[in-house]
Amino acid sequence: MLPAGITIVIGTLKIHRDPKYYKNPNVFEPDNFLPENAQGRHYYSYIPFSAGPRSCVGRKFALLKLKILLSTILRNYKVASAAPEEKFRLQADIILKRTDGFRIKIEPR
Ligand code: HEM
């Protein structure tokens, strides 16, 4: 039982990179989300939109919008980070972000 009034921080970054649920957790692997690979994985192992009765009502809309936006950008531009991922310093805010901003290089394909 949790005491009333306490604050709990859920480390989604750690959950989403847990090798127990994701092979090579630091590698971007969209195939992790193919139905055959997601099947049987713990219900709370992927929670960017929270989970349970108060989870995000805009989840499907947000994912569709993100896919359209990303595919439009990536079909037209090459995007690269100016710093390697190991150098990123992260800041947990309302969203997780880099302390020094998103320094990226964009050039037309
Ligand atoms: C990438 C985009 C988005 C992310 C990562 C996101 C994430 C979340 C998360 C984590 C929560 C739960 C907050 C909590 O536990 O208190 C939430 C709730 C909610 N989201 Fe989103 N969201 C996104 C986009 C959207 C969009 C586009 C809409 C509306 C069109 C939306 C509407 C809502 C609403 C209404 C709730 C409150 C649900 C409730 O309390 O019953 N979200 N969202």
Side-chain angles (χ1 to χ4, degrees):
M1 187 68 124
L2 300 171
I6 63 164
T7 300
I8 297 175
V9 176
I10 297 171
T12 39
L13 179 80
K14 290 283 182 196
I15 293 172
H16 294 164
R17 293 178 185 226
D18 189 337
K20 198 162 123 195
Y21 303 112
Y22 303 98
K23 247 190 285 165
N24 301 322
N26 294 318
V27 174
F28 174 64
E29 181 48 275
D31 284 1
N32 278 338
F33 299 93
L34 289 174
E36 60 269 32
N37 294 335
Q39 200 183 28
R41 192 183 290 144
H42 195 286
Y43 182 65
Y44 294 121
S45 59
Y46 182 66
I47 49 167
F49 297 95
S50 193
R54 296 307 297 267
S55 67
C56 181
V57 294
R59 177 189 182 123
K60 281 192 178 151
F61 173 70
L63 276 176
L64 281 174
K65 217 170 140 182
L66 282 170
K67 285 175 190 167
I68 292 167
L69 188 72
L70 267 180
S71 71
T72 306
I73 293 172
L74 296 176
R75 272 185 286 115
N76 292 294
Y77 299 94
K78 286 183 193 164
V79 183
S81 171
E85 196 175 345
E86 311 82 67
K87 293 258 167 85
F88 292 1
R89 293 188 58 215
L90 300 175
Q91 179 182 334
D93 217 315
I94 289 179
I95 57 159
L96 186 70
K97 57 188 185 185
R98 280 176 60 186
T99 51
D100 55 345
F102 293 97
R103 293 171 186 222
I104 53 172
K105 288 185 281 190
I106 298 179
E107 57 181 74
R109 282 189 184 274

